[in-house]
Amino acid sequence: MYPLIRNRRLRATESIRRLVRETTISPDDFLTPLFVVEGKGIKEEIASMPDQYRLSLDNLEKEVKELWKMGLCAVLLFVKVPDNLKDNKGTEALNANGLMQRAIKTVKNACPDMLVMTDVAMDPYSSYGHDGIVENGQILNDETSEFLSEMSISHAKAGADFVAPSDMMDGRILTIREALEDEGFINTGIMSYSAKYASAFYGPFRDALDSAPVNQKDVPKDKKTYQMDFANRFEAIRETQMDIEEGADIVMVKPGLAYLDIVREIKNEVDVPIAVYQVSGEYAMLKAAAEKGWLDHDAVMMEQLIAIKRAGANIIASYFAKDAVKLM
Ligand code: PBG
């Protein structure tokens, strides 16, 4: 009891603060998202994501080597697909010599120990910008899951360590797990985007890949029939538990900062590793405020990353990975 107990004793100097600190982060915690494009010598900055680039394979190779040198050990790959290769069924995603498949091989050749995770979803390949096949104004569930299992096998064949389905179709984790087992990919992991919300924070990402839903008759204008309603909490637990039962090795909450209540809730319920995706819009907000001189970039970035870890994240997918590691 005060004055016998004075909590400020444990805050008096940086050394005592270090000694009693409950949460720390290291390069081991990060999954670095990377955007890949066709071409040579390309490193295009994404307008709404300063310091993030669309990389051609030669630059991807350089980038991955740099990340590895910095101590980062895992990447999450996304591809920007040329419009002429898009259709309603995502056909190009299964091309054994497609951009994603070549990107996986490029990373593995450059850096064999770098863990490669791949985005498994139809949207970058869809002429409608949806994560599933569109029919009569609906997103087909089971046909899409079937397709995603083929896509996963294609990534596994190219050398992906983990596939990361980000589509939110029902039952797709089981469909994918069974397909991987059938094809002998028993060690290919699944990181499921298990509680992924229909969020406006994905805006800059959709600019990066030109993957936003198109504005067209009979095409849903948003992803609200498959991604979760951001007003819901219990549903996130149910989604996560189902994905674990279906065979997910790692589960995810996405976006990050506005959803840390969900992260903690899930942390208290399940015992598999939890990834949190600090998404493009979160990145853009801090970059913009820092550019205006309104926020201290590095300080706010570290505060946010620690908050994500403190909430219960074991893995943080973040565009800040490099910036953060430079400060460690
Ligand atoms: C694709 C996918 C999206 C993101 C990751 N995978 C966009 C979406 O669902 O519309 C968003 C990531 C970000 O905003 O950084 N299904």
Side-chain angles (χ1 to χ4, degrees):
M1 198 195 313
Y2 180 82
L4 298 182
I5 296 168
R6 290 177 183 267
N7 289 332
R8 289 181 56 189
R9 281 185 207 118
L10 295 181
R11 298 176 207 141
T13 64
E14 178 58 12
S15 294
I16 185 63
R17 289 193 294 273
R18 279 172 60 189
L19 201 64
V20 300
R21 188 158 287 147
E22 296 175 29
T23 310
T24 55
I25 48 175
S26 85
D28 298 349
D29 297 320
F30 288 96
L31 179 53
T32 310
L34 293 172
F35 299 111
V36 188
V37 281
E38 291 286 1
K40 248 197 162 143
I42 295 175
K43 186 173 179 181
E44 289 172 343
E45 191 168 26
I46 298 154
S48 48
M49 301 177 72
D51 249 346
Q52 296 296 314
Y53 303 87
R54 300 184 195 92
L55 303 170
S56 53
L57 294 176
D58 48 342
N59 281 323
L60 174 68
E61 181 178 334
K62 284 188 204 151
E63 181 67 17
V64 161
K65 285 181 175 161
E66 190 185 326
L67 295 174
W68 185 257
K69 256 199 203 139
M70 294 176 72
L72 289 156
C73 61
V75 293
L76 178 58
L77 300 179
F78 297 95
V79 290
K80 182 172 190 295
V81 180
D83 276 345
N84 65 324
L85 295 178
K86 297 184 183 184
D87 62 27
N88 185 28
K89 296 205 159 142
T91 312
E92 174 61 16
L94 306 183
N95 179 355
N97 198 32
L99 184 56
M100 177 61 93
Q101 289 77 359
R102 281 177 284 134
I104 297 165
K105 290 177 190 159
T106 300
V107 177
K108 281 293 176 188
N109 276 335
C111 237
D113 293 327
M114 180 68 88
L115 191 86
V116 176
M117 297 200 184
T118 58
D119 188 59
V120 170
M122 200 183 278
D123 51 337
Y125 298 94
S126 160
S127 41
Y128 298 132
H130 273 291
D131 292 31
I133 301 162
V134 181
E135 202 176 282
N136 301 325
Q138 307 280 327
I139 309 299
L140 302 182
N141 190 87
D142 298 5
E143 293 79 352
T144 299
S145 286
E146 209 50 57
F147 172 83
L148 295 172
S149 67
E150 288 178 50
M151 191 172 172
S152 300
I153 287 166
S154 179
H155 292 182
K157 279 186 180 153
D161 298 297
F162 270 73
V163 292
S166 65
D167 55 287
M168 291 297 283
M169 296 301 123
D170 288 326
R172 90 278 203 217
I173 299 301
L174 182 62
T175 309
I176 292 170
R177 187 69 265 162
E178 285 180 345
L180 288 170
E181 296 296 313
D182 285 349
E183 294 286 324
F185 293 107
I186 58 170
N187 292 321
T188 305
I190 301 177
M191 178 176 76
S192 172
Y193 286 62
S194 39
K196 175 172 176 177
Y197 287 87
S199 169
F201 283 105
Y202 308 150
F205 174 96
R206 292 176 190 172
D207 294 343
L209 296 188
D210 187 23
S211 63
V214 299
N215 188 6
Q216 209 173 303
K217 195 176 163 294
D218 286 333
V219 178
K221 62 181 188 322
D222 57 42
K223 300 188 175 185
K224 290 182 182 170
T225 67
Y226 45 106
Q227 297 178 350
M228 282 179 54
D229 182 342
F230 55 73
N232 295 352
R233 185 158 61 95
F234 299 116
E235 189 185 358
I237 301 172
R238 186 164 75 240
E239 282 282 0
T240 306
Q241 284 169 336
M242 281 181 72
D243 284 0
I244 294 169
E245 281 163 26
E246 290 178 30
D249 302 284
I250 300 172
V251 294
M252 185 194 279
V253 176
K254 175 184 177 191
L257 213 55
Y259 295 80
L260 295 187
D261 56 329
I262 309 297
V263 176
R264 171 48 54 180
E265 195 90 50
I266 287 172
K267 184 73 183 171
N268 289 341
E269 290 288 330
V270 308
D271 51 16
V272 302
I274 299 171
V276 171
Y277 201 139
Q278 185 186 40
V279 300
S280 58
E282 302 178 62
Y283 180 81
M285 283 198 303
L286 176 50
K287 289 287 171 185
E291 227 168 75
K292 281 186 168 283
W294 291 351
L295 285 176
D296 177 336
H297 178 276
D298 291 351
V300 172
M301 171 182 74
M302 290 314 261
E303 187 175 332
Q304 293 188 344
L305 293 169
I306 289 278
I308 291 171
K309 187 98 187 276
R310 189 191 64 223
N314 303 99
I315 300 164
I316 307 173
S318 174
Y319 304 100
F320 287 115
K322 266 170 98 175
D323 285 347
V325 167
K326 280 180 197 155
L327 296 179
M328 289 172 192

